[in-house]
Amino acid sequence: MELSNVKYEVKGTTAYVTVNRPKALNALNIDVIAELKRAFEAIESDDAVTGVILSGEGEKAFVAGADIAQMKEYSALEARAMATAAHSVMNSIEECTKPVIAAVNGFALGGGCELAMACDIRIASETARMGQPEVNLGIIPGFGGTQRLPRLVGKGMAKYLIMTAEMIDAAEAYRIGLVQKVTAPGELIAECEKVLATINKKGPFAIKLAKKAINNGMQADQSSALKNEIELFALTFATDEQEEGMAAFLEKRAAEF
Ligand code: CAA
């Protein structure tokens, strides 16, 4: 695949997607957004890929936001088109049928924080700095931040972060539940790989359905979400994975999925 602003590599069963504009701290311009879309289409159609690690090139930034230089002269209609394209990418990541881990290796601000939030799990380097600084620029988060942030950290904390534009460190991001683990910078990718390896040992269909149940449920009222869980739970009983998982438990051996 020919990409110039995003690196795409498959090693073993893991796809490594790396935003590659380090001179602009990996800011998301319209080309990066289009290439991310293509990378996640490739991931979806490649049966050999069982998980994804998404990161930013270099040691300084995951992604420092949408590209301010590109957006500066945008009309409202151009801003709308860019946000629509970015939302489509964020939705592809959130709905990807494989687990996606954000390796937050530095600044994850604005659109960068929004990109990390579209992933299933966020693991941060101790050097990570996260936030939604859009109001400093006279705009609001436009790549999903007003919706995904409150769903991850609660309405009050989301309003605090968006309205103050405060940039928080990795320890604070962990404390509020924005990231799930913090590691030394040199161990970040290895830690993401470790988490993916743990997930890969489970039944892949069960992982897909667990993700789907959570995602569907977060967009529905509780009663519909619980009904949806019943259906997806029942569906797992139509699989070899359930047979193997339960047989392995009763035979006191490790399951082989
Ligand atoms: N867009 C375009 N260029 C960016 C950028 C961005 N979001 N963030 C950094 N850069 C560029 C800088 O302009 C600079 O370029 P030059 O070398 O050509 O001058 C280069 O990256 C390095 O950045 P700094 O010199 O600013 O580095 P620093 O260490 O002094 O500061 C920083 C780092 C605090 C992250 C600072 O770069 C910064 O505040 N960046 C902007 C963060 C931001 O506001 N993000 C939100 C964008 S709006 C958005 O994302 C809307 C949305 O919801 C989609």
Side-chain angles (χ1 to χ4, degrees):
M1 194 171 23
E2 283 276 311
L3 300 174
S4 45
N5 297 282
V6 169
K7 282 191 191 167
Y8 180 77
E9 283 177 282
V10 177
K11 288 188 225 153
T13 62
T14 303
Y16 295 79
V17 180
T18 310
V19 179
N20 188 25
R21 292 187 72 213
K23 284 189 185 145
L25 302 190
N26 301 321
L28 302 177
N29 63 19
I30 205 73
D31 295 332
V32 179
I33 291 167
E35 290 186 14
L36 281 172
K37 183 79 185 164
R38 286 177 54 206
F40 276 87
E41 282 165 3
I43 286 163
E44 206 54 75
S45 62
D46 186 347
D47 289 342
V49 171
T50 60
V52 186
I53 296 177
L54 174 61
S55 195
E57 183 64 21
E59 286 171 12
K60 197 166 167 184
F62 174 74
V63 165
D67 190 319
I68 301 168
Q70 185 171 66
M71 289 186 300
K72 174 158 183 312
E73 302 299 335
Y74 270 1
S75 67
L77 280 182
E78 286 167 327
R80 188 177 194 281
M82 186 199 206
T84 303
H87 273 257
S88 171
V89 170
M90 305 296 169
N91 293 342
S92 312
I93 295 173
E94 192 167 68
E95 290 159 17
C96 179
T97 55
K98 295 141 195 207
V100 185
I101 301 188
V104 184
N105 56 314
F107 291 113
L109 301 172
C113 190
E114 291 165 309
L115 182 63
M117 288 192 291
C119 299
D120 297 313
I121 294 167
R122 284 147 294 286
I123 300 183
S125 144
E126 284 156 357
T127 59
R129 298 287 178 274
M130 302 181 77
Q132 296 289 159
E134 286 86 351
V135 295
N136 288 335
L137 302 166
I139 61 171
I140 68 166
F143 292 179
T146 64
Q147 301 310 307
R148 290 197 176 92
L149 189 58
R151 282 168 173 77
L152 280 171
V153 303
K155 190 161 82 170
M157 184 55 82
K159 285 185 177 169
Y160 174 81
L161 289 173
I162 289 172
M163 292 163 87
T164 63
E166 187 173 307
M167 202 192 301
I168 58 173
D169 63 16
E172 177 67 356
Y174 177 73
R175 191 188 72 77
I176 65 174
L178 183 53
V179 302
Q180 284 61 63
K181 280 188 168 208
V182 178
T183 71
E187 288 162 24
L188 179 61
I189 296 298
E191 187 60 38
C192 294
E193 288 167 342
K194 209 163 109 189
V195 172
L196 266 188
T198 301
I199 296 172
N200 277 339
K201 286 195 196 115
K202 318 299 176 197
F205 191 65
I207 294 294
K208 266 181 213 171
L209 287 196
K211 175 168 174 173
K212 201 173 175 61
I214 295 169
N215 281 348
N216 287 351
M218 293 303 287
Q219 298 185 39
D221 62 280
Q222 183 167 307
S223 151
S224 315
L226 291 172
K227 285 189 183 121
N228 183 244
E229 185 190 76
I230 293 173
E231 299 311 323
L232 296 180
F233 171 73
L235 191 54
T236 60
F237 283 76
T239 65
D240 295 344
E241 283 180 21
Q242 174 266 339
E243 274 183 38
E244 167 61 10
M246 293 193 177
F249 174 81
L250 294 172
E251 290 160 22
K252 301 191 188 307
R253 61 174 174 84
E256 282 181 39
F257 293 114

